[in-house]
Amino acid sequence: MGKAHSNAWRNVASFFDVPAFEQKVLVGRDATQVAEAAAKYGWAESATDWRSVLERDDIDIVDICAPGWMHAEIAIAALEAGKHVLVEKPLANTLAEAEAMTDAAATARSKGMQSMIGFNYRRVPALALARELIAEGRLGTVRHIRAAYLQDWLSDAQSPMTWRLRKETAGSGALGDIASHAIDQIQYLTGQTILETSGVLKTFIAQRPGPNGTEDVTVDDAAWATLWLTGDMGGSVEASRVATGQKNSLRIEVYGTDGALTFDLESLNELNFLDATAPVREQGFRRILVNEPEHPYLEAWWPQGHIIGWEHTFTHQIRDFLIAIDTGQAPSPSFEDGLQVQRVLAAVEASANNKSTITAVADPAPASEGA
Amino acid sequence: MGKAHSNAWRNVASFFDVPAFEQKVLVGRDATQVAEAAAKYGWAESATDWRSVLERDDIDIVDICAPGWMHAEIAIAALEAGKHVLVEKPLANTLAEAEAMTDAAATARSKGMQSMIGFNYRRVPALALARELIAEGRLGTVRHIRAAYLQDWLSDAQSPMTWRLRKETAGSGALGDIASHAIDQIQYLTGQTILETSGVLKTFIAQRPGPNGTEDVTVDDAAWATLWLTGDMGGSVEASRVATGQKNSLRIEVYGTDGALTFDLESLNELNFLDATAPVREQGFRRILVNEPEHPYLEAWWPQGHIIGWEHTFTHQIRDFLIAIDTGQAPSPSFEDGLQVQRVLAAVEASANNKSTITAVADPAPASEGA
Amino acid sequence: MGKAHSNAWRNVASFFDVPAFEQKVLVGRDATQVAEAAAKYGWAESATDWRSVLERDDIDIVDICAPGWMHAEIAIAALEAGKHVLVEKPLANTLAEAEAMTDAAATARSKGMQSMIGFNYRRVPALALARELIAEGRLGTVRHIRAAYLQDWLSDAQSPMTWRLRKETAGSGALGDIASHAIDQIQYLTGQTILETSGVLKTFIAQRPGPNGTEDVTVDDAAWATLWLTGDMGGSVEASRVATGQKNSLRIEVYGTDGALTFDLESLNELNFLDATAPVREQGFRRILVNEPEHPYLEAWWPQGHIIGWEHTFTHQIRDFLIAIDTGQAPSPSFEDGLQVQRVLAAVEASANNKSTITAVADPAPASEGA
Amino acid sequence: MGKAHSNAWRNVASFFDVPAFEQKVLVGRDATQVAEAAAKYGWAESATDWRSVLERDDIDIVDICAPGWMHAEIAIAALEAGKHVLVEKPLANTLAEAEAMTDAAATARSKGMQSMIGFNYRRVPALALARELIAEGRLGTVRHIRAAYLQDWLSDAQSPMTWRLRKETAGSGALGDIASHAIDQIQYLTGQTILETSGVLKTFIAQRPGPNGTEDVTVDDAAWATLWLTGDMGGSVEASRVATGQKNSLRIEVYGTDGALTFDLESLNELNFLDATAPVREQGFRRILVNEPEHPYLEAWWPQGHIIGWEHTFTHQIRDFLIAIDTGQAPSPSFEDGLQVQRVLAAVEASANNKSTITAVADPAPASEGA
């Protein structure tokens, strides 16, 4: 994440017309390593004590890529120190922390300090275009939404135990790590708010090898939830880290009365759009290669058809954050947006822990072995 | 359905080596219409009274395409009259009827009468190949399954009320009509049995125009369920009849430790297979055009790459049914298989009716309107 | 081919409203085999002497699936005997025969006898829709056309010698067998005529095992040609029978000032259409699933999204031929159309035989072996 | 191009382990503009006189992005001044210039100065993987190759006249601009050399609006050529700038006895590979998402499935160039490779100018207007 954020800071001004800034200090735990990283990624200095950096007058913006459990402390301190703050998702590991951060952001905002949460996929040009089309009414009334985020890096049962697989450090598994992106997209694309959910979690591989022997995995490998939104919309979200062969497949489908959209992050330069108001004879999902100057963010990039990569979702994020700071207009997604996503995650988890949601099939029979 | 079944009977012997048979009687309600249909679709005679047809000695096989609420009565009578019986899915509209039919089938089977339920998608060559690959262990241990059946013929809110949208005649909506196919596939492909479910149903369009004014829609437009199977497999199924732009998209994804499969019925001649035991460098989902003589059912058809259509799932079904009758080996899917699917449907519905499955999101906030 | 034609005759009246007809006589060389085939494919009788069948008064229509070198003799005799004649492509193996057949067809047409050549891909619904869209001007002025027909059944160098690989029996290789379909499509879709060509032929596998030892392959494995049409259109056609992994990939791309179309026969229910008059922001090739009642021929078939197979291009062909006979309106493609395709094939071959078309690269250097 | 090259220089050291270097001087024609560009793209200084920059001792490497007609003069001067030289493709606008440059490069190489031509698509990871697979014999003996480069930015007949459309400045049109990439790939992927060609050129829009009225377009809008290579391979290349809807579609297909590969630059992170040695039942083109650490260049980038963009073909090019300089191993593609491509372009043009390559179709008939 630090590499991706640094890349964005290093390049944003070469493509976009943004206020001038300097890449000042990279902060990390190990002095030697962070010095090397600073040199490699374009930072003028490095440091190991984030508190002392917050005290510096020549620092205006703080970009937090530390693990989730450190977000609250750093972000609140930074906001109180009068810095603009960008924080990686998820906002925090607990609702209480997320609420405190949101309060701090509101207070700081009233004093002119901006804050933003890094749901970078809002800056995928194809998804930004999707939001435009939905907002313009091109899908009519949206009803049914489907989202799934499928990865496979935990498919191998011998893949070792890490902090990401312990509830106390990671909060949750596929749910918080990747379903959170899908949930944010659902709210972002539709402009609606999730009200209710029914969720299920599953850990397929219950134990994994640790440095001192086998350990219990205490977070989910996969998560499922149905979601009900304002505007009488409904849909589902599914996340898995054991979907063998799916590398980074965030798929989103939005169905409305007048049209539909589908998207897959593995083809992030493409948006599929169906206009149901066209004559039936010529309806079909069209693959829009979102690489034209007319598309969000694309005017800054390469000639048409010369696709951009995943990292530039961060470049666009920094661009928008810098402009928001400059214009004094609160950027989106806000900490409130991050908090709302975490409330949904908490509700999914509460639902999943409610055993009464599960209904047994009466007298399930073995599959027949006929011809 | 009658047209598709007739087509299969009319053509099966031109492609497959099956026991000789004659297309005898087509039964319907309106004498004139059924006579015309019989002539058009290759039946020697027509009739309006199915009971008298069942009494004829020259009738050995009964293929039931009547609406679901008539299945039990006709099928049980036919089995008791010593006929072999093929019945369209769903087996019946109620569990009680389905159980009675299954009992009758078991009794008849012991006397040499075969019975089969028309989950015709088991005879899609690509899905038959999928089952072969899974049974051979090419996916290793299957863990995660995803199925969705998306259509859009109810997207238009002005589409009129029909018997399919009333609970008393149709039983359920998208759940019984199309999710049933997906549920059968999940059990068929994996060879496992669904034990538990957590489900949700939704009617997006609550009222529709009827001949005498607006009527309430009393079945679901969309259904969602998570499913837990024997063999420690888990997954989800989703069905919708308001997924604008999706015409007949039954999608199935199966993820195992050693491989994965994906399928979409709109491209029914194709199966995508990923072999996770290959070197990472060359892994990828391969699109198998299931049109080679080496593929299930394909030896009978056209040269490679000359694709077959949806109707031949029925041709294959008749072929297998005729051979089962001839060899005396009980065909699959059996009425038991049909009953098992209905038990799952009933459990999904029970779960969906259990309001405690739904968890509210605490203090859901409106989406921010930032920059 | 006989199997596919028989299938069409056996089924056309079950789907389309066509004049009544009977499937009378199947003619073949071997009495036993043709009798079996007649029984299997729905013909009332069989025969071995086509001449005597032509003398029968109860025969009105002759459908010729014999090899190309027999087309002229049978077709001319049938037309002179007052029969309507459908002949498989290619029209004949020589231009002289094709011209004689075309003359006979013109004479017969003036007496009310219809004739047609079996370029069945004109009856692929997606291609019929493509022609409609082009004819309606949806592509504006068409400029650039690309067609390729790729198969791989000759990839294996050990695949044995057959009559299809000898010039004296087959006329040509990939050129006449499959490029002919592509060439007909180019003229059919655009409504224009090919005027000039520059072509090249290549035999990759010069010898193949025959029953009496190795034999020389005397036809092309692959063919390439650039084509210039009336209407100032230009384009290319390529055909190969050694394109490993391509099973039946007839690909067509048509580019105009206002839009474009692409098609692949391996996905024969789909047409990709780009409307270049839409705002740039939302342009993209849309995948039209050509399975709606609004599409050519589809009203007769299954519900939307329930795809049809390759064989029904023949069913549509018979339907159109029967209606043409009934209405007395000359059907398309005519023998003239078949002759025109053969003139193009002859010109490609003449160009390919003209060695001056090949230019050597001056001092070609070996590829560098740098880092 | 300058923007893309600058981006590569600015970022290469943040991702790859390359020898240290500094981004010294950006040279351009307009002092103000080049100073702004230097600041924006990360260059320490700017200048307008390239000759004086060549005289500086602190300049070791020269990267030439000037138009083609300036390549020879600058490159030869830079090599003679003892600099390492990277030059954009095409090597030059004339064969004579290209030969002089190649001679200069050979002389310089003997003195330790490296040179390279910027066929950047050799550094698309998917194409580098393709070359690996072919070199390892995974396709067996390669026979048939197809390449096309389709764009549409000249589709609009009102698009104005530019230097790219005049023969004296641009050399040729689609042929030199984009077919050259495809021709280089054919030789790069197969490791073979093109010996012979048969080509055709076409200008669809003969005149375009200029500042002083309509002007004649004197280069080709589209180009076609068949190609014969060492190793008994054959194939075709096609390029168009009027292929409406195709934005940057460089498509390459390679067919061998044991496998096949297909690629499209619009999906540059993907390679489709068919292994024809697998059992027929499970053969199919597999979509390899070329985003794994095991793939060429990818270890330096993001987690799997997080795709990279077009610009990083240049980053990889700079990386390889820097390493070649450091190790003293001549990089590829060399000026010799660039010269060889230009010899092919010249032969295509000579063939296209040879009118005897075109054969008229005898008596071409208008399309029939039958039913």
Side-chain angles (χ1 to χ4, degrees):
Chain A
M1 272 305 136
K3 183 174 164 184
H5 280 240
S6 295
N7 183 69
W9 287 106
R10 192 171 62 248
N11 287 293
V12 63
S14 296
F15 295 98
F16 293 97
D17 195 15
V18 287
F21 67 91
E22 290 169 78
Q23 259 184 285
K24 285 268 177 158
V25 195
L26 182 68
V27 183
R29 280 171 302 180
D30 181 283
T32 310
Q33 284 178 6
V34 73
E36 280 173 10
K40 188 166 184 182
Y41 297 134
W43 299 93
E45 305 167 41
S46 66
T48 56
D49 177 13
W50 58 266
R51 288 173 208 278
S52 63
V53 174
L54 289 189
E55 286 168 13
R56 287 169 56 165
D57 285 345
D58 63 339
I59 300 294
D60 298 311
I61 299 171
V62 176
D63 179 353
I64 305 172
C65 301
W69 67 79
M70 300 175 68
H71 285 183
E73 188 178 8
I74 306 176
I76 293 171
L79 288 165
E80 288 176 354
K83 315 300 186 195
H84 306 290
V85 173
L86 172 64
V87 64
E88 251 305 310
K89 48 88 16 197
L91 193 57
N93 274 10
T94 70
L95 261 183
E97 285 177 338
E99 283 163 357
M101 290 168 76
T102 303
D103 288 345
T107 304
R109 195 183 301 131
S110 67
K111 297 176 188 166
M113 299 303 117
Q114 303 301 347
S115 47
M116 190 180 187
I117 177 165
F119 281 119
N120 57 304
Y121 293 153
R122 292 195 178 198
R123 268 76 191 188
V124 172
L127 291 172
L129 174 61
R131 173 159 160 134
E132 286 179 12
L133 292 169
I134 293 171
E136 291 166 15
R138 297 298 296 277
L139 267 58
T141 302
V142 171
R143 290 191 193 120
H144 188 166
I145 305 158
R146 307 183 72 226
Y149 203 145
L150 305 178
Q151 297 182 338
D152 73 354
W153 58 281
L154 288 177
S155 269
D156 182 356
Q158 295 310 309
S159 181
M161 194 68 193
T162 76
W163 68 267
R164 286 183 172 279
L165 302 176
R166 286 186 205 102
K167 189 164 181 51
E168 57 274 24
T169 45
S172 67
L175 179 66
D177 184 24
I178 52 178
S180 57
H181 272 300
I183 288 167
D184 181 63
Q185 278 298 321
I186 288 172
Q187 297 189 127
Y188 164 68
L189 290 175
T190 61
Q192 302 290 335
T193 302
I194 294 168
L195 297 174
E196 289 180 341
T197 185
S198 174
V200 179
L201 302 175
K202 169 104 176 159
T203 307
F204 287 103
I205 297 141
Q207 296 188 312
R208 288 183 179 273
N212 307 311
T214 299
E215 286 185 56
D216 286 349
V217 172
T218 50
V219 299
D220 55 289
D221 288 329
W224 297 260
T226 42
L227 304 169
W228 308 114
L229 290 81
T230 51
D232 200 31
M233 294 177 196
S236 64
V237 65
E238 179 167 344
S240 178
R241 302 197 286 205
V242 298
T244 307
Q246 305 295 355
K247 299 305 175 183
N248 195 35
S249 184
L250 168 59
R251 307 176 196 174
I252 298 169
E253 302 174 38
V254 187
Y255 299 103
T257 51
D258 292 345
L261 290 168
T262 72
F263 171 82
D264 187 332
L265 187 62
E266 289 189 4
S267 301
L268 75 76
N269 292 267
E270 300 174 22
L271 180 70
N272 298 296
F273 169 50
L274 177 128
D275 180 354
T277 66
V280 168
R281 192 181 64 142
E282 60 190 70
Q283 281 183 28
F285 279 92
R286 70 184 78 165
R287 167 188 173 268
I288 303 174
L289 190 56
V290 186
N291 257 131
E292 301 284 332
E294 285 82 353
H295 291 139
Y297 303 107
L298 262 299
E299 204 175 1
W301 295 103
W302 316 110
Q304 57 182 14
H306 294 65
I307 68 170
I308 66 165
W310 168 82
E311 70 265 39
H312 295 312
T313 57
F314 295 97
T315 311
H316 302 160
Q317 182 171 273
I318 298 298
R319 178 236 180 225
D320 290 346
F321 189 48
L322 287 170
I323 289 174
I325 291 169
D326 196 47
T327 60
Q329 211 179 345
S332 171
S334 64
F335 281 18
E336 283 83 357
D337 291 331
L339 173 59
Q340 163 66 6
V341 169
Q342 283 195 264
R343 284 181 175 142
V344 176
L345 298 178
V348 170
E349 209 160 352
S351 171
N353 290 337
N354 172 3
K355 295 301 176 198
S356 75
T357 59
I358 303 294
T359 301
V361 176
D363 302 316
S368 77
E369 291 297 326
Chain B
M1 272 305 137
K3 182 174 166 186
H5 279 240
S6 297
N7 183 69
W9 287 106
R10 192 171 63 247
N11 286 293
V12 64
S14 296
F15 295 98
F16 293 96
D17 195 15
V18 287
F21 68 90
E22 291 169 77
Q23 261 185 280
K24 284 267 177 158
V25 196
L26 181 68
V27 184
R29 280 172 301 179
D30 181 282
T32 309
Q33 285 179 7
V34 73
E36 281 173 9
K40 187 166 185 182
Y41 296 135
W43 299 93
E45 307 168 39
S46 65
T48 55
D49 176 13
W50 59 265
R51 287 174 209 279
S52 63
V53 174
L54 289 189
E55 286 167 15
R56 287 169 56 166
D57 285 344
D58 64 339
I59 300 292
D60 299 311
I61 298 172
V62 176
D63 179 354
I64 305 172
C65 301
W69 67 80
M70 301 176 68
H71 285 184
E73 187 178 11
I74 305 175
I76 293 171
L79 288 165
E80 288 176 355
K83 315 302 186 193
H84 305 290
V85 173
L86 173 65
V87 65
E88 252 303 311
K89 48 83 23 190
L91 194 57
N93 273 10
T94 70
L95 262 183
E97 286 177 337
E99 283 163 357
M101 291 169 75
T102 304
D103 288 346
T107 303
R109 194 183 302 130
S110 67
K111 298 178 187 165
M113 299 302 117
Q114 304 301 347
S115 47
M116 192 180 184
I117 178 165
F119 281 120
N120 57 305
Y121 293 152
R122 292 193 179 200
R123 268 75 191 188
V124 172
L127 291 172
L129 174 62
R131 174 161 158 131
E132 286 180 11
L133 291 169
I134 293 171
E136 291 165 14
R138 298 298 297 279
L139 267 57
T141 303
V142 171
R143 290 191 192 120
H144 188 166
I145 306 157
R146 308 182 71 225
Y149 204 145
L150 306 179
Q151 297 183 338
D152 73 354
W153 58 281
L154 288 177
S155 268
D156 181 356
Q158 295 309 309
S159 182
M161 195 67 194
T162 76
W163 68 267
R164 286 182 173 278
L165 302 176
R166 285 185 206 103
K167 188 164 181 50
E168 57 274 25
T169 44
S172 67
L175 178 66
D177 184 24
I178 52 178
S180 57
H181 271 300
I183 288 166
D184 181 64
Q185 278 298 321
I186 287 172
Q187 298 189 126
Y188 164 68
L189 290 175
T190 61
Q192 302 290 335
T193 303
I194 293 168
L195 297 173
E196 289 180 341
T197 186
S198 175
V200 179
L201 302 176
K202 170 103 177 160
T203 307
F204 287 103
I205 297 141
Q207 295 188 313
R208 288 184 180 273
N212 306 310
T214 299
E215 285 184 56
D216 285 349
V217 173
T218 50
V219 299
D220 55 289
D221 288 329
W224 298 260
T226 43
L227 304 169
W228 309 113
L229 289 83
T230 52
D232 200 31
M233 294 176 195
S236 64
V237 65
E238 180 166 345
S240 178
R241 301 197 286 204
V242 298
T244 307
Q246 305 295 354
K247 299 305 174 183
N248 195 34
S249 184
L250 168 58
R251 305 175 196 175
I252 298 170
E253 302 174 39
V254 187
Y255 299 103
T257 52
D258 293 346
L261 290 168
T262 72
F263 171 81
D264 187 333
L265 187 61
E266 289 189 4
S267 300
L268 75 78
N269 292 267
E270 300 174 22
L271 181 68
N272 298 297
F273 169 49
L274 176 128
D275 181 354
T277 68
V280 168
R281 193 183 61 143
E282 59 192 70
Q283 281 183 28
F285 279 92
R286 69 185 79 165
R287 167 190 172 266
I288 304 173
L289 191 57
V290 187
N291 257 131
E292 302 285 331
E294 286 82 354
H295 291 138
Y297 303 106
L298 263 298
E299 206 175 359
W301 294 102
W302 316 109
Q304 57 181 13
H306 295 65
I307 69 169
I308 66 164
W310 168 82
E311 69 266 39
H312 296 312
T313 59
F314 295 97
T315 310
H316 301 160
Q317 182 170 274
I318 297 298
R319 176 232 179 231
D320 290 347
F321 189 47
L322 287 170
I323 288 175
I325 291 168
D326 196 47
T327 61
Q329 214 180 340
S332 171
S334 64
F335 280 19
E336 283 83 358
D337 290 332
L339 173 60
Q340 163 66 7
V341 169
Q342 283 193 266
R343 284 182 176 141
V344 176
L345 299 178
V348 171
E349 208 159 353
S351 171
N353 290 336
N354 172 4
K355 296 301 176 199
S356 76
T357 60
I358 303 295
T359 301
V361 176
D363 302 317
S368 77
E369 293 295 328
Chain C
M1 271 305 137
K3 183 175 166 185
H5 279 240
S6 296
N7 183 70
W9 287 106
R10 192 172 62 248
N11 286 292
V12 64
S14 296
F15 295 97
F16 293 97
D17 195 16
V18 287
F21 68 91
E22 290 168 77
Q23 261 186 280
K24 285 269 178 160
V25 196
L26 182 67
V27 183
R29 278 172 302 178
D30 180 281
T32 309
Q33 285 179 5
V34 73
E36 282 172 8
K40 187 166 186 181
Y41 297 134
W43 299 92
E45 305 168 40
S46 65
T48 56
D49 178 13
W50 58 266
R51 288 172 208 281
S52 64
V53 174
L54 289 189
E55 286 167 12
R56 287 169 56 165
D57 284 346
D58 63 340
I59 300 293
D60 298 312
I61 300 172
V62 176
D63 178 354
I64 305 172
C65 302
W69 67 80
M70 300 175 66
H71 284 184
E73 188 179 10
I74 305 176
I76 293 170
L79 288 165
E80 288 176 355
K83 315 302 185 193
H84 305 289
V85 174
L86 172 64
V87 65
E88 252 304 311
K89 48 90 12 197
L91 194 56
N93 274 10
T94 70
L95 262 182
E97 285 177 338
E99 282 163 357
M101 290 168 74
T102 304
D103 288 346
T107 303
R109 193 183 302 131
S110 68
K111 297 176 186 164
M113 299 303 115
Q114 303 301 347
S115 47
M116 192 179 185
I117 178 165
F119 280 118
N120 57 305
Y121 293 152
R122 293 194 178 199
R123 267 76 190 189
V124 171
L127 291 171
L129 174 61
R131 173 157 159 135
E132 285 179 14
L133 291 168
I134 294 171
E136 291 166 14
R138 297 298 296 277
L139 266 59
T141 302
V142 171
R143 288 188 194 122
H144 187 167
I145 305 158
R146 306 182 72 225
Y149 204 145
L150 306 179
Q151 298 183 337
D152 73 355
W153 59 280
L154 287 178
S155 269
D156 182 356
Q158 295 309 308
S159 182
M161 194 67 194
T162 76
W163 69 266
R164 285 182 173 278
L165 303 176
R166 284 185 207 103
K167 189 163 181 51
E168 57 273 25
T169 44
S172 67
L175 178 66
D177 184 24
I178 52 178
S180 58
H181 272 299
I183 288 166
D184 182 63
Q185 278 298 322
I186 287 172
Q187 298 190 128
Y188 164 68
L189 290 175
T190 60
Q192 302 290 334
T193 302
I194 294 168
L195 297 173
E196 290 180 341
T197 185
S198 173
V200 179
L201 303 176
K202 169 104 176 160
T203 306
F204 287 103
I205 298 141
Q207 294 188 314
R208 289 184 179 272
N212 307 311
T214 298
E215 286 184 55
D216 286 349
V217 172
T218 50
V219 299
D220 55 290
D221 288 328
W224 297 259
T226 42
L227 304 168
W228 309 112
L229 290 81
T230 52
D232 200 31
M233 294 177 196
S236 64
V237 65
E238 180 166 346
S240 178
R241 302 197 287 204
V242 297
T244 306
Q246 306 294 355
K247 299 305 175 182
N248 196 32
S249 184
L250 169 59
R251 307 176 194 173
I252 299 169
E253 303 175 38
V254 187
Y255 299 103
T257 51
D258 292 344
L261 290 168
T262 73
F263 170 83
D264 187 334
L265 186 63
E266 289 189 4
S267 300
L268 76 76
N269 291 266
E270 301 174 21
L271 181 69
N272 298 296
F273 169 49
L274 177 128
D275 180 354
T277 67
V280 168
R281 192 181 63 141
E282 60 190 70
Q283 281 184 29
F285 278 91
R286 70 185 78 165
R287 167 190 173 265
I288 304 173
L289 190 56
V290 186
N291 258 131
E292 303 285 331
E294 287 83 354
H295 292 139
Y297 302 106
L298 263 299
E299 204 174 0
W301 294 102
W302 315 110
Q304 56 181 14
H306 294 65
I307 68 169
I308 65 164
W310 169 81
E311 70 265 38
H312 295 312
T313 56
F314 295 97
T315 310
H316 302 160
Q317 182 170 275
I318 298 298
R319 176 232 180 230
D320 290 347
F321 189 48
L322 286 170
I323 290 175
I325 290 169
D326 196 47
T327 60
Q329 211 179 345
S332 169
S334 64
F335 281 19
E336 283 82 357
D337 291 329
L339 173 59
Q340 162 66 7
V341 169
Q342 284 196 263
R343 284 180 175 142
V344 176
L345 298 178
V348 171
E349 207 160 353
S351 171
N353 289 337
N354 171 4
K355 296 303 177 195
S356 76
T357 61
I358 304 294
T359 302
V361 176
D363 302 315
S368 77
E369 291 296 325
Chain D
M1 273 303 138
K3 183 175 165 185
H5 279 241
S6 296
N7 183 69
W9 287 105
R10 192 170 64 247
N11 286 293
V12 65
S14 296
F15 295 97
F16 293 96
D17 196 16
V18 288
F21 67 90
E22 290 169 78
Q23 259 185 282
K24 285 267 177 158
V25 195
L26 182 67
V27 183
R29 279 173 302 180
D30 181 282
T32 310
Q33 285 178 6
V34 74
E36 281 172 8
K40 187 167 186 182
Y41 297 135
W43 298 93
E45 308 168 38
S46 66
T48 56
D49 176 12
W50 58 266
R51 288 173 207 278
S52 63
V53 174
L54 290 188
E55 287 167 13
R56 285 169 57 165
D57 285 345
D58 64 339
I59 300 294
D60 298 310
I61 300 172
V62 176
D63 179 353
I64 305 172
C65 302
W69 66 80
M70 300 175 68
H71 284 184
E73 187 179 11
I74 305 176
I76 293 170
L79 288 164
E80 288 176 355
K83 316 300 185 192
H84 306 289
V85 174
L86 173 63
V87 65
E88 253 304 311
K89 48 88 12 196
L91 194 56
N93 274 10
T94 70
L95 261 182
E97 285 177 336
E99 282 163 357
M101 290 168 75
T102 303
D103 288 347
T107 304
R109 193 183 302 131
S110 67
K111 298 176 185 164
M113 299 303 115
Q114 305 301 346
S115 48
M116 191 180 185
I117 177 165
F119 280 119
N120 58 304
Y121 293 152
R122 292 194 178 199
R123 269 73 192 191
V124 172
L127 290 171
L129 174 61
R131 174 159 159 133
E132 285 179 14
L133 291 169
I134 293 170
E136 291 166 14
R138 297 298 296 279
L139 267 58
T141 302
V142 171
R143 289 189 193 120
H144 188 166
I145 305 158
R146 307 182 72 224
Y149 204 145
L150 306 179
Q151 297 183 337
D152 73 355
W153 58 280
L154 288 178
S155 269
D156 181 356
Q158 294 310 309
S159 182
M161 195 66 193
T162 76
W163 68 268
R164 286 182 173 279
L165 303 177
R166 284 184 208 103
K167 189 164 180 47
E168 57 273 26
T169 45
S172 67
L175 179 66
D177 184 23
I178 53 178
S180 57
H181 272 299
I183 288 166
D184 181 64
Q185 278 297 321
I186 288 173
Q187 298 190 126
Y188 163 69
L189 290 175
T190 60
Q192 302 291 335
T193 303
I194 293 168
L195 297 174
E196 291 180 340
T197 186
S198 174
V200 179
L201 303 175
K202 169 102 175 161
T203 306
F204 287 102
I205 298 139
Q207 295 188 313
R208 290 184 178 272
N212 307 310
T214 298
E215 286 184 54
D216 286 349
V217 173
T218 50
V219 299
D220 55 290
D221 288 328
W224 298 259
T226 42
L227 304 168
W228 309 112
L229 290 82
T230 51
D232 200 31
M233 295 177 195
S236 63
V237 65
E238 180 167 346
S240 177
R241 300 197 287 204
V242 298
T244 307
Q246 305 295 354
K247 299 306 175 182
N248 195 33
S249 185
L250 169 58
R251 307 175 194 175
I252 298 169
E253 303 174 37
V254 187
Y255 299 103
T257 52
D258 293 345
L261 290 167
T262 72
F263 170 83
D264 188 333
L265 187 62
E266 289 189 3
S267 301
L268 74 78
N269 292 265
E270 301 173 22
L271 181 69
N272 298 297
F273 169 48
L274 176 128
D275 180 353
T277 68
V280 168
R281 192 183 62 143
E282 59 192 71
Q283 281 183 31
F285 280 91
R286 70 184 77 164
R287 166 189 172 266
I288 303 174
L289 190 57
V290 186
N291 258 133
E292 303 284 331
E294 287 82 353
H295 291 139
Y297 304 105
L298 263 298
E299 205 176 0
W301 295 101
W302 316 110
Q304 55 182 13
H306 295 65
I307 68 170
I308 65 165
W310 168 81
E311 69 265 39
H312 295 312
T313 57
F314 295 97
T315 310
H316 302 160
Q317 182 170 275
I318 298 298
R319 177 237 180 224
D320 290 346
F321 189 48
L322 286 171
I323 289 175
I325 291 170
D326 195 46
T327 61
Q329 213 179 342
S332 170
S334 63
F335 282 19
E336 283 82 358
D337 291 330
L339 172 60
Q340 163 65 7
V341 169
Q342 284 194 266
R343 284 180 175 143
V344 176
L345 299 179
V348 170
E349 207 159 355
S351 170
N353 290 338
N354 172 3
K355 296 302 175 198
S356 75
T357 61
I358 304 294
T359 302
V361 176
D363 302 316
S368 78
E369 292 296 327

